[in-house]
Amino acid sequence: MKKFFGKAQQFGKSFMLPIAILPAAGLLLGIGGALSNPNTISAYPILDQFLLQAIFTIMSSAGDIVFANLPVIFAVGVAIGMARSDKGTAGLAALIGYLVMNATINAILLITDNLAADNLSAVGQGVTLGIQTLESGVFGGIIVGIMAGLLHNRFNKIELPQFLGFFGGSRFVPIVTSFGAIILGTIMYYVWPMIQTVIFSFGDIVNATGYIGTFFYGFILRMLGPFGLHHIFYLPFWQTGLGGALEIGGQLVQGTQNIFFAQLGDPETTKFFEGTSRFMSGRFITMMFGLLGAAYAIYRTAKPENKKVVGGLMLSAALTSFLTGITEPLEFSFLFVAPLLYVVHAIFDGLAFMLAHIFQITIGQTFSGGFIDFILFGVLQGEALTNWMYVIPIGIIWFFLYFFTFTFLIKKFNFKTPGREDKKAEDDTTVQTAPVSGAERPSAIIQALGGRDNLVDVDNCATRLRVTVKDGEMINKEALQETGSKGVIVKGEGVQVIYGPQVSVIKNEIEEELEK
């Protein structure tokens, strides 16, 4: 089980690079698409100016091109995320592999006389980077990325005979990936239509379960959060046919997020796709309102002498959740000391998704359910398209639901949430030192992780340092807390250290320290 966690962690964190691109692209498409939409211009004539519309149109196109090419972005991003070193070569190999795979499929379609002349979406075909091929979407990109990452880690240090020495090492990776992509393309030609049928069938089952299915989606998603495996769970719904399929502008679009952003740039859209209400919109209720109630409950139940410190901590964590939808700093303040609170939180989150489905709230998102996405993809798109106004009354109820429930449970079971810790006896007290920071921090983290020789791979997601080590027993959790960590999860060789949104800076500092 511990080995599985380590492998799943590595697989999950490989998604983070392509996912991290989406917020910027979403901002461009959200603002540009919303303010250049004919319906918006009709409602706000002041926007009907050539220069403004030129800017908005460029912004919309710049964002749209990213979402239109997500498969190749995921192929490159996943390969880079999986590579343990020389990540640039892995990315290049994935790009080549993706092109070769689709060119192979195109050739077989041509040879078998199955290359469609028109209405490509009806037969599961599309055009990717100028190549007419099977519409494998992001799923196809992920498969290529995994293949390229595995081949890179296996062959990037290969030594060939002297007369072939030039093609050894990293140069061998794109070569072997190309041959692997030919085989993969051939397999995909025969297997992908069957996989697509299975995906659509499973999607039908999810849809058939109605509101109950939506509840369990939200509940499972939240329960996977502490393990950092939630990306693996929600990504197929967002990016593949599991989250639905819809023809937009003559093109078959698969995956809830892809459908939402395709509709965002389509002036013919009168209502956003229902899958948005099932697999996305519930987040706004929890992240903007519910967790704020939890933070207030933790503050109110803190001991009087600790309220000032706890107030600052909870205010910072609550604002992070409200504005950006990043919830780990707040969730990890009670996860380890009161797991029951987290289970209740997961139940409430599942109910939030269910209510968003019931009230047909169709607010999309790039990364998470914070205020920024709420404004861009809810308010600016209009009530008729998104039903965004329902979020506010439901959210207010959710704030008080969290507040009263958390307050009751914290007092009932005397949970040691921040500010309620028991004082140590005088003979156990020690002089508190300031958290390790600055130039000393990366070295301190490396030592707390067991030293240089214990590190196999260091990477990060949005809020966590994700590390693969040789021996998990060597991890010093107390020392990591002194570097600013909000929580540490160790499962065999897989380690996650929660630092918050600044984790990417910490990861870069560690890499620089390791290179010395």
Side-chain angles (χ1 to χ4, degrees):
M1 183 65 184
K2 291 181 178 180
K3 282 188 175 292
F4 169 78
F5 178 83
K7 296 295 183 184
Q9 167 181 268
Q10 185 179 13
F11 182 56
K13 60 97 173 171
S14 68
F15 291 140
M16 288 313 301
L17 180 58
I19 288 175
I21 297 170
L22 300 184
L27 287 173
L28 289 170
L29 184 56
I31 296 173
L35 300 182
S36 64
N37 189 294
N39 296 326
T40 306
I41 297 172
S42 176
Y44 305 100
I46 193 174
L47 297 175
D48 191 11
Q49 300 181 38
F50 176 78
L51 182 59
L52 277 178
Q53 287 306 309
I55 294 172
F56 295 145
T57 301
I58 292 172
M59 291 174 66
S60 179
S61 297
D64 183 60
I65 196 65
V66 173
F67 286 95
N69 291 284
L70 279 181
V72 68
I73 291 172
F74 269 86
V76 174
V78 168
I80 291 173
M82 292 188 67
R84 289 193 289 265
S85 61
D86 195 14
K87 294 176 179 287
T89 301
L92 176 62
L95 174 60
I96 294 171
Y98 185 75
L99 292 169
V100 171
M101 181 193 74
N102 284 295
T104 301
I105 294 173
N106 174 271
I108 298 176
L109 286 170
L110 185 62
I111 292 169
T112 57
D113 198 28
N114 286 319
L115 200 66
D118 52 25
N119 199 15
L120 304 185
S121 61
V123 291
Q125 297 180 24
V127 178
T128 300
L129 299 178
I131 306 169
Q132 185 173 330
T133 180
L134 292 178
E135 190 63 74
S136 60
V138 168
F139 194 86
I142 291 174
I143 292 175
V144 172
I146 293 172
M147 180 188 73
L150 292 174
L151 290 174
H152 175 272
N153 290 336
R154 173 67 178 82
F155 293 110
N156 74 318
K157 295 180 181 177
I158 190 172
E159 294 183 8
L160 299 176
Q162 189 169 357
F163 69 96
L164 292 174
F166 177 80
F167 300 102
S170 294
R171 296 186 184 94
F172 186 73
V173 176
I175 297 172
V176 70
T177 302
S178 298
F179 283 103
I182 293 174
I183 298 172
L184 178 61
T186 304
I187 295 173
M188 287 287 283
Y189 173 78
Y190 293 102
V191 173
W192 178 249
M194 292 185 287
I195 294 176
Q196 200 168 37
T197 301
V198 172
I199 290 174
F200 286 144
S201 298
F202 191 74
D204 290 339
I205 294 173
V206 173
N207 290 327
T209 56
Y211 301 136
I212 299 299
T214 304
F215 165 78
F216 280 107
Y217 168 83
F219 175 75
I220 294 171
L221 180 64
R222 186 54 54 197
M223 289 300 291
L224 288 173
F227 304 102
L229 304 180
H230 49 300
H231 307 300
I232 299 175
F233 181 69
Y234 75 72
L235 200 67
F237 291 93
W238 283 22
Q239 299 295 337
T240 75
L242 193 59
L246 193 67
E247 186 172 328
I248 303 171
Q251 296 289 325
L252 181 66
V253 183
Q254 300 180 28
T256 293
Q257 188 179 58
N258 296 329
I259 292 171
F260 175 80
F261 281 104
Q263 288 186 311
L264 198 64
D266 183 9
E268 301 299 320
T269 299
T270 57
K271 188 68 179 176
F272 286 124
F273 179 59
E274 181 190 8
T276 309
S277 67
R278 302 197 68 184
F279 307 124
M280 287 187 170
S281 302
R283 285 182 159 194
F284 295 97
I285 297 170
T286 299
M287 295 174 175
M288 289 174 53
F289 295 93
L291 281 173
L292 271 64
Y296 189 48
I298 293 172
Y299 165 72
R300 287 294 301 271
T301 55
K303 295 178 179 179
E305 64 270 22
N306 297 327
K307 281 194 172 183
K308 185 175 181 180
V309 174
V310 174
L313 175 67
M314 288 297 103
L315 179 61
S316 173
L319 281 175
T320 300
S321 176
F322 178 79
L323 292 174
T324 68
I326 293 175
T327 60
E328 279 90 344
L330 182 47
E331 289 172 330
F332 279 84
S333 70
F334 61 81
L335 169 63
F336 298 108
V337 296
L340 176 61
L341 292 181
Y342 194 89
V343 174
V344 171
H345 165 46
I347 293 172
F348 287 169
D349 198 35
L351 291 173
F353 274 89
M354 187 174 76
L355 285 175
H357 187 192
I358 292 172
F359 288 96
Q360 290 297 293
I361 301 169
T362 51
I363 308 173
Q365 57 194 248
T366 56
F367 172 70
S368 208
F371 182 71
I372 297 172
D373 279 10
F374 177 73
I375 293 296
L376 285 177
F377 307 120
V379 177
L380 289 181
Q381 307 309 319
E383 170 68 10
L385 279 174
T386 63
N387 287 334
W388 65 266
M389 289 185 180
Y390 283 120
V391 172
I392 296 175
I394 296 173
I396 292 173
I397 295 171
W398 238 238
F399 174 90
F400 288 107
L401 177 66
Y402 268 78
F403 172 71
F404 288 119
T405 304
F406 270 53
T407 299
F408 171 77
L409 292 175
I410 290 170
K411 292 181 177 179
K412 173 73 174 177
F413 296 102
N414 194 25
F415 289 136
K416 303 304 180 183
T417 48
R420 291 177 59 83
E421 304 90 345
D422 295 326
K423 289 185 178 180
K424 293 182 180 180
E426 289 297 324
D427 56 352
D428 288 336
T429 59
T430 57
V431 177
Q432 295 295 314
T433 57
V436 178
S437 60
E440 298 177 356
R441 181 170 62 182
S443 178
I445 294 173
I446 292 171
Q447 292 304 313
L449 291 170
R452 294 170 180 264
D453 294 339
N454 195 42
L455 299 180
V456 176
D457 182 59
V458 179
D459 214 320
N460 70 280
C461 64
T463 58
R464 311 169 191 220
L465 199 64
R466 292 173 179 253
V467 186
T468 303
V469 297
K470 295 177 182 176
D471 184 2
E473 298 294 328
M474 297 179 67
I475 304 302
N476 187 334
K477 294 183 178 181
E478 290 74 18
L480 286 170
Q481 288 176 353
E482 292 178 4
T483 65
S485 163
K486 298 175 176 64
V488 183
I489 299 172
V490 181
K491 293 288 184 180
E493 300 171 352
V495 183
Q496 295 180 13
V497 191
I498 296 87
Y499 281 107
Q502 75 275 18
V503 69
S504 61
V505 175
I506 294 174
K507 191 264 289 188
N508 291 338
E509 291 175 350
I510 293 173
E511 288 183 337
E512 290 176 3
E513 181 69 21
L514 291 172
E515 290 174 359
K516 292 181 181 179

